[in-house]
Each structure stands twice: as structure tokens, then as C-alpha cells.
Amino acid sequence: MIDKDAYGPWAVVAGGSEGVGASFAHQLADAGINLVLIARKPGPLERTATEVRAKGVDVHTLPLDLLDPGAPKAIRAVTDGLDVGLLVFNAGANTYGHEFVGGELDRVQGVIDLNITSQLALTHHFGARMKERGRGGILLVGSLAGYMGQARLSVYSAVKAFSRVFAEGLWLELAPHGVHVLELVLGVTRTPAMERAGLRMDLPGLDVADPDDVAREGLEHLADGPLWVAGGNLTTAERRSVVRDRAGLVRGAHEASQRLLPKE
């Protein structure tokens, strides 16, 4: 179980309403850590908050879109009086899958702003506070998509690659100050978002992780940064990191990902 003394008494979970985010919330509450949960949809957010409050912790909810220009100010208004020891950034979903040059550039910008701009803003704010107090943790939820370019997901793959490299540099900067940084790389995970997208997760040989399991891995290995590949996907990540024959690797991965998509 995560150490409350090292990462408490408060944790901020961006994207904390369902799926992996809700699993983080429950496991942190089990450890006695109070929570600030941020998510776009008020209904799932309040359901998760009610469930974790029943475990005896204090919970603040912020039903807001991180792309809203006023989001950083709203988050600070709630958290500036709290001793935040952990930031979990789990809000980096792909909000626009489209062939790039034929797509809408403002929608593409939304993917960048959610996965990069918002992540940097929260990490900068809470990371500075943790550095000053000499302890804490920052957990950025990444994706295997960040190891290889994909058609219709080129920008999403790129922002996930950014997150991984950013986490490595941040880990070097904050480790001497007692702040742990971890990029938690997820593969296919059985979340409500995946199910709503209609992804075929019943394919033979496909490893599908459970949200509780990957959240547990992340919290257990928070001090083992800068990177942890969850759900038994380390071999896949290593294979996708090979420099030679990128064309063959990219085409093969593309064909495999197409099988996940719902049949039209």
C-alpha cells in the first residue's frame, strides 16, 4: 500500500471519475489519503467521490474541463490551502482520432493542450510545492501509443511520447529533492472509455489489463521511476523501441491496431 507519510495527506487526481482514475481514488483512500478529484463529467465524478468518502477520507470534487482557460485558477482555489503530496495526471485521453492533414486543426490542438499543456501546468504548480517541502510524488499516466506513430492517432502518439521523455527529465530534476516522478505506461485497459469507443478487447492473444491492477502497479512502483510499463507490456514497449526497420514495425503495429477497432 502507498505510504501516506510520503505521499499524503492530500492527493490530486486529474481524470479521477472512472476507470483507472477511479481505481487510483479508491486505492489512495484505502491508504487514508484525502483526495481532490478532477473530471469533466459531474455524474461519474460524484459517484466515485461518494464511494471513497465512505472509506473515511475527505474528498473535494472539481467538475471541470482541463481545457477551460480558467481550470488552473479553479484548481488552485481548492488546493492552495491543502498539503498535496501526490499528483496523478490521468486525464490524457485521445479526444480526436483523425487523419491529420484532412482533420480539423483546432481539434488536434485540443489533444495537445490536454495531454501536454494541462499536464505541464499542473506538474509545474504542484511539483514546485513538493520540491519546497522536500517530499511527494508525481505520477503521469502514459500509453504504449507513445512508442510508435499510428495512422489517425499520429498526434496522440506524439503527445504520449512527449510525456514519457518529459517524465524522465523531471525525474532527474526532482529526485534530489525527495520528489518521486513516474511515467506509468498503459497498454489496452478495460475502461468505460474503451468500451464506449467500441474497441474489440476479446481478440485471441490480446492482453487486456484491469484498471485496479494497473493503478496498483503505478502506486506500488512510484519510487521506481522514471518509467514503469504496466500490465505485462514491457516486451511490447521494448519491441516498439527498436530503431531498425521502423517502417516494418510501424506497419505491423498499425495492422494489429486496426483489428481492435469495431467492425463497420
Side-chain angles (χ1 to χ4, degrees):
M1 184 177 290
I2 190 168
D3 185 354
K4 177 182 177 180
D5 293 333
Y7 303 111
W10 284 87
V12 174
V13 182
S17 62
E18 60 182 19
V20 178
S23 293
F24 278 123
H26 278 278
Q27 292 176 34
L28 290 169
D30 288 338
I33 296 177
N34 303 311
L35 296 163
V36 178
L37 302 180
I38 305 168
R40 201 164 42 88
K41 298 178 180 178
L45 179 62
E46 289 303 328
R47 283 195 295 273
T48 296
T50 298
E51 291 170 358
V52 296
R53 282 193 187 103
K55 300 185 176 190
V57 299
D58 292 331
V59 182
H60 295 310
T61 57
L62 277 168
L64 56 80
D65 189 338
L66 290 175
L67 296 180
D68 187 321
K73 183 178 180 180
I75 293 169
R76 288 194 296 270
V78 171
T79 61
D80 276 356
L82 306 177
D83 188 8
V84 175
L86 177 65
L87 169 65
V88 177
F89 193 90
N90 179 56
N94 181 40
T95 55
Y96 186 58
H98 202 284
E99 185 258 345
F100 177 68
V101 298
E104 301 173 36
L105 199 55
D106 60 335
R107 297 287 302 279
V108 169
Q109 188 65 51
V111 177
I112 295 171
D113 288 343
L114 176 61
N115 285 273
I116 295 181
T117 309
S118 296
Q119 183 186 86
L120 292 182
L122 292 184
T123 301
H124 184 268
H125 176 67
F126 290 108
R129 294 175 62 182
M130 293 176 197
K131 177 182 176 181
E132 183 177 356
R133 77 175 196 161
R135 63 183 175 88
I138 297 171
L139 193 157
L140 308 178
V141 177
S143 171
L144 279 176
Y147 284 81
M148 185 172 289
Q150 300 178 73
R152 301 177 65 86
L153 295 174
S154 57
V155 175
Y156 178 70
S157 298
V159 297
K160 287 305 184 184
F162 172 91
S163 179
R164 177 163 49 88
V165 176
F166 167 63
E168 292 175 348
L170 189 66
W171 174 78
L172 288 170
E173 293 175 357
L174 292 181
H177 303 282
V179 181
H180 299 143
V181 177
L182 182 73
E183 173 85 356
L184 179 65
V185 178
L186 305 188
V188 179
T189 307
R190 197 178 301 279
T191 66
M194 288 284 197
E195 292 171 351
R196 285 193 295 269
L199 294 185
R200 302 176 61 208
M201 292 181 283
D202 57 350
L203 297 175
L206 179 66
D207 290 327
V208 181
D210 180 80
D212 289 342
D213 292 337
V214 296
R216 187 175 301 107
E217 279 193 67
L219 296 177
E220 287 178 350
H221 293 281
L222 187 51
D224 300 328
L227 181 75
W228 185 266
V229 181
N233 289 294
L234 179 59
T235 299
T236 300
E238 291 174 339
R239 186 169 60 248
R240 292 187 176 189
S241 300
V242 173
V243 175
R244 294 182 181 179
D245 189 25
R246 291 300 294 179
L249 285 172
V250 169
R251 289 195 185 99
H254 171 70
E255 291 169 1
S257 68
Q258 292 304 295
R259 292 193 290 272
L260 282 172
L261 299 177
K263 293 182 179 180
E264 298 181 355

